[in-house]
Amino acid sequence: MTRVAIFDCDGTLVDGQANVCEAMEEAFAACSLAAPPRTLIRRAVGLSLPQAMALMLPGSTAEQQELLAESYRIAFREHRRLGRINEPLFDGIAPLLNRLHANGWQLAVATGKSRRGLQHCLETHGIAHLFGSLQTADDHPSKPDPAMIAAVLWETDLEPANAVMIGDTSFDMAMAGAAGVRAIGVDWGYHHAEELLATGAEAVAETVEELGLMLEDADG
């Protein structure tokens, strides 16, 4: 019986792509670099910041990547201070989370966001109390390293067979595979369904309602 659902955040629970793209463009400008196209920025969502910078700026040094990462953090914090952060939940996510929680599921998040950013996001939407385990880029290697999922399993005292990872990127699916847990993709985020299936998703939900049905099947 599957009993812990591990969710990615950006692109799975919330739609924050405009915030990410704007802060990333400001970060590159602050470092006197041309910003990558938004299509590439969106493809890097899900990775921890230095790894995302490496993807967007091939050939860059670790020092350049960390400088860009810090510039991004500064830009994002300033957006938050100015009240410019808009990360709406995808339609149907809140009812799904509440239903899973009421049915005895443990819920967790594994995300490339910072802990502060994740807490702010969950608290803003009034869903923070539903999650018993929060794993972020502050404490773990970047996806697809399985460390985040391993931490969830340790905190919930469950085996890999009792967990499922839900995410919108190939990084999420590969992380699940590395951790030995089931993976379900969602088709409303940053990577295409074909990529999710190719990197280990057992299925890809096109709607939140379909995701709920898949999780009910996984719980059987």
Side-chain angles (χ1 to χ4, degrees):
M1 181 179 288
T2 301
R3 272 309 186 192
V4 61
I6 309 167
F7 288 86
D8 170 57
C9 187
D10 287 314
T12 302
L13 296 177
V14 303
D15 183 4
Q17 65 174 297
N19 303 318
V20 171
C21 288
E22 289 170 9
M24 198 65 73
E25 288 164 352
E26 290 178 21
F28 272 74
C31 295
S32 301
L33 293 168
R38 288 197 169 193
T39 52
L40 182 55
I41 293 174
R42 287 191 288 267
R43 289 201 59 78
V45 171
L47 295 172
S48 297
L49 282 174
Q51 288 72 23
M53 300 310 179
L55 177 64
M56 291 184 286
L57 193 63
S60 57
T61 65
E63 182 179 6
Q64 288 174 312
Q65 293 157 17
E66 186 51 49
L67 181 61
L68 279 167
E70 183 57 25
S71 295
Y72 175 86
R73 295 184 192 105
I74 291 170
F76 207 90
R77 285 197 296 266
E78 182 64 6
H79 287 196
R80 184 182 296 117
R81 186 185 70 81
L82 295 173
R84 290 172 52 191
I85 298 298
N86 182 31
E87 298 175 309
L89 289 172
F90 287 105
D91 289 344
I93 285 292
L96 172 62
L97 295 175
N98 279 288
R99 186 167 73 249
L100 291 172
H101 189 264
N103 289 340
W105 282 75
Q106 297 191 66
L107 303 179
V109 176
T111 178
K113 293 172 82 71
S114 69
R115 180 167 293 275
R116 178 181 179 184
L118 176 62
Q119 288 281 13
H120 180 269
C121 177
L122 299 180
E123 289 169 5
T124 296
H125 293 297
I127 58 174
H129 66 286
L130 299 175
F131 293 93
S133 179
L134 301 178
Q135 308 304 325
T136 72
D138 292 347
D139 306 309
H140 298 289
S142 177
K143 299 174 183 180
D145 189 286
M148 292 189 195
I149 292 179
V152 171
L153 296 176
W154 186 83
E155 290 184 3
T156 57
D157 195 27
L158 290 172
E159 297 297 321
N162 300 116
V164 58
M165 176 72 207
I166 302 104
D168 67 300
T169 72
S170 57
F171 315 127
D172 297 312
M173 304 300 100
M175 177 175 65
V181 307
R182 302 173 77 172
I184 295 176
V186 301
D187 196 27
W188 52 80
Y190 296 105
H191 290 186
H192 298 301
E194 296 79 10
E195 296 175 84
L196 303 179
L197 292 167
T199 49
E202 64 180 47
V204 177
E206 294 186 1
T207 65
V208 174
E209 180 180 10
E210 187 177 8
L211 174 61
L213 294 174
M214 289 178 180
L215 290 173
E216 289 173 8
D217 288 343
D219 196 32

